[in-house]
Amino acid sequence: MARPPRPGRPAGSRRASGPPKPRPGALAAEKRHGATPRGLRRTALPLPERPLPRAAARPRPCPRGSQPAAPGLARTPPSRAAPARCRPPGADSLPQAQPAPSACPTRPRPGRPHPAAAPMAGGDGGGDGGDGGGPSATPEGEAAVACEALRLLRIEPSAVGPGAGRAGGAVRGSRNALRKRRRWERVLAARRSKRRQERERSRARRAQGPGAAGRGGGRPAAALARERLLEARESGPRLCVDLGVAGCMTRKETSRLASQIRRLYGANRRAEKPFWLCLTEFVVGSLIYEECFRMNDGFSNYLMDTTPESYLDLFPLDAIVYLTPDSQNVLEDIDPSKVYVLGGLVDESIHKKLTLHRAQEQSLQTARLPIREYMVKAINTKNYHSETLAINQVFDVLSTYYETQSWPAALKAGVSTGKGYVLPDAVK
């Protein structure tokens, strides 16, 4: 029994849903002869852009039954239908599909070649291979393409070289170092000029001070200081700095000791009644020797004695008084016939009883400044009280007392408040 036909559709009619499908045998025959199958439109899709080929890339091995492409077809342009390196036999005789125009073509700028056109400069678009040895097939061609791309990006090829970063960094670093050096030279020049002006002003004040003309008779202050120092050499008290203990200090402490020696000499040169100074055990080539000449300008012109010998070989034992803060004897007066010895140590590094033991081993007289007798301990946050003074501070006390014969005035001039001692009237 036959099925009744559907409503609206005549009996025996075929569904017209499109072109009939070709038979498999006919499709194979038409492909072989290059014809288009019946019912199909021949369209060619645009091939994707391939990246720039590498010059050193190895060719892929050809599969069995195929032959390698000709030298002229080593790099097939994008317009060809067979981009592979290995082509089957008889592939050159097949008709090639023409690429359809792109929907959004790229318009190059007028006067500038398109970057994608550079690899195609050496080949032609014909179907028979042509000559494929253009600039893109060699390293020189790749370099030209890269330079052209950098030019379009407005980048200098020399700026991306292997040594561009190092050269720029070196120039930049050298410029910064040169700028810092010039700035430091200007600072040093300003400091020298300021010190020179201060010296000139101090000289003018001393020359125009009250009674300067009556004391010196119109002579310069340098001549008066030299004359006073030479008089102290003949009849004044002597002050020796024992540098035999300087080996206990570091290089930094030795440098500060050299600075204190300079201050001591400057204060003695300005004093009305100076001492005659002597540096004992001042050995050539020692650390204190080098620091004194390095830090003190004109050290060789100082009016004082420097000797590598000990004070024991220069003066009699009964005339030597070793000043140490650890002594039990109090210095009451200054005798011009005595030789007072100071230990060559800085007050920052305190060596307990080092100078006292040294003086006792040499059977010398010892004494200390009357700080406890004339001063009292001040209240401070650190509860710090020290009788150890720098050599220039000890000299300020001795020089002031030698001129004024007053221990309170001398201690006030030499002992700083940082030591923790003040006069009783200052506490009130």
Side-chain angles (χ1 to χ4, degrees):
M1 182 176 180
R3 297 177 58 182
R6 294 182 181 181
R9 180 178 176 181
S13 63
R14 300 181 59 183
R15 170 184 262 174
S17 59
K21 296 183 180 180
R23 293 176 297 174
L27 179 62
E30 291 176 356
K31 282 186 178 180
R32 225 176 11 251
H33 294 287
T36 305
R38 185 174 50 186
L40 296 179
R41 295 184 62 185
R42 181 171 183 152
T43 58
L45 299 178
L47 297 177
E49 295 185 1
R50 298 192 310 173
L52 294 177
R54 297 182 181 178
R58 296 182 179 179
R60 297 181 180 178
C62 298
R64 184 177 300 178
S66 62
Q67 60 181 359
L73 300 177
R75 299 190 179 276
T76 307
S79 62
R80 302 197 180 180
R85 294 181 178 274
C86 300
R87 302 164 62 95
D92 296 337
S93 62
L94 295 178
Q96 306 296 331
Q98 298 296 330
S102 176
C104 300
T106 303
R107 298 181 181 179
R109 295 185 179 181
R112 293 186 179 180
H114 197 278
M120 299 294 297
D124 54 347
D128 56 350
D131 188 9
S136 62
T138 59
E140 292 79 2
E142 294 183 0
V145 172
C147 291
E148 179 64 19
L150 292 176
R151 189 186 67 80
L152 293 177
L153 295 175
R154 299 182 180 180
I155 299 177
E156 292 293 335
S158 60
V160 296
R166 294 192 298 270
V171 172
R172 192 180 302 110
S174 61
R175 290 179 180 175
N176 292 339
L178 184 60
R179 189 184 305 110
K180 292 180 180 179
R181 183 178 179 181
R182 290 177 178 174
R183 180 182 178 184
W184 178 245
E185 290 178 354
R186 291 194 298 267
V187 170
L188 291 180
R191 289 181 180 178
R192 295 192 191 100
S193 176
K194 185 177 179 180
R195 290 174 184 174
R196 192 182 307 110
Q197 295 176 1
E198 289 179 355
R199 287 196 296 268
E200 293 176 356
R201 285 196 296 266
S202 61
R203 291 172 185 174
R205 284 196 301 266
R206 287 195 299 267
Q208 299 176 3
R215 292 193 306 268
R219 291 183 299 172
L224 293 176
R226 182 182 181 86
E227 182 179 348
R228 289 195 295 263
L229 288 175
L230 294 177
E231 291 178 359
R233 183 179 185 179
E234 299 297 332
S235 58
R238 298 179 180 271
L239 183 67
C240 293
V241 180
D242 180 18
L243 298 178
V245 296
C248 308
M249 298 183 298
T250 62
R251 187 179 188 89
K252 182 178 181 180
E253 295 172 346
T254 305
S255 301
R256 293 183 177 179
L257 177 62
S259 300
Q260 293 177 5
I261 291 175
R262 180 184 69 248
R263 297 174 186 175
L264 189 155
Y265 176 78
N268 186 56
R269 193 170 180 271
R270 294 189 300 267
E272 293 291 336
K273 299 172 65 175
F275 288 64
W276 180 250
L277 303 180
C278 180
L279 302 182
T280 59
E281 299 189 34
F282 191 67
V283 182
V284 178
S286 60
L287 183 58
I288 184 62
Y289 180 90
E290 296 176 356
E291 291 298 318
C292 284
F293 278 92
R294 184 182 69 87
M295 301 188 63
N296 304 331
D297 297 336
F299 182 79
S300 57
N301 299 327
Y302 284 5
L303 287 176
M304 63 180 182
D305 291 334
T306 56
T307 175
E309 300 180 4
S310 175
Y311 49 86
L312 300 176
D313 303 330
L314 300 176
F315 310 104
L317 296 180
D318 56 352
I320 299 176
V321 178
Y322 209 111
L323 298 179
T324 169
D326 302 317
S327 177
Q328 299 297 329
N329 303 324
V330 180
L331 182 64
E332 298 179 356
D333 197 2
I334 295 178
D335 189 357
S337 62
K338 296 291 184 179
V339 179
Y340 298 95
V341 180
L342 298 178
L345 296 172
V346 292
D347 56 330
E348 297 178 359
S349 59
I350 300 176
H351 301 272
K352 287 291 185 179
K353 299 184 179 181
L354 176 62
T355 54
L356 178 62
H357 292 163
R358 182 178 177 85
Q360 290 176 352
E361 291 175 359
Q362 298 171 354
S363 302
L364 300 177
Q365 303 178 27
T366 61
R368 63 174 176 83
L369 297 178
I371 297 178
R372 307 173 196 170
E373 286 72 18
Y374 291 92
M375 305 185 78
V376 295
K377 293 183 179 180
I379 300 175
N380 51 43
T381 57
K382 297 182 180 180
N383 197 20
Y384 175 76
H385 305 89
S386 176
E387 299 181 23
T388 304
L389 307 180
I391 58 174
N392 59 304
Q393 293 176 339
V394 175
F395 175 78
D396 291 340
V397 174
L398 298 178
S399 177
T400 306
Y401 177 79
Y402 191 54
E403 294 178 4
T404 61
Q405 297 295 316
S406 171
W407 281 116
L411 294 173
K412 183 179 180 180
V415 180
S416 62
T417 56
K419 296 297 180 179
Y421 286 92
V422 295
L423 296 174
D425 56 354
V427 176
K428 297 178 182 180

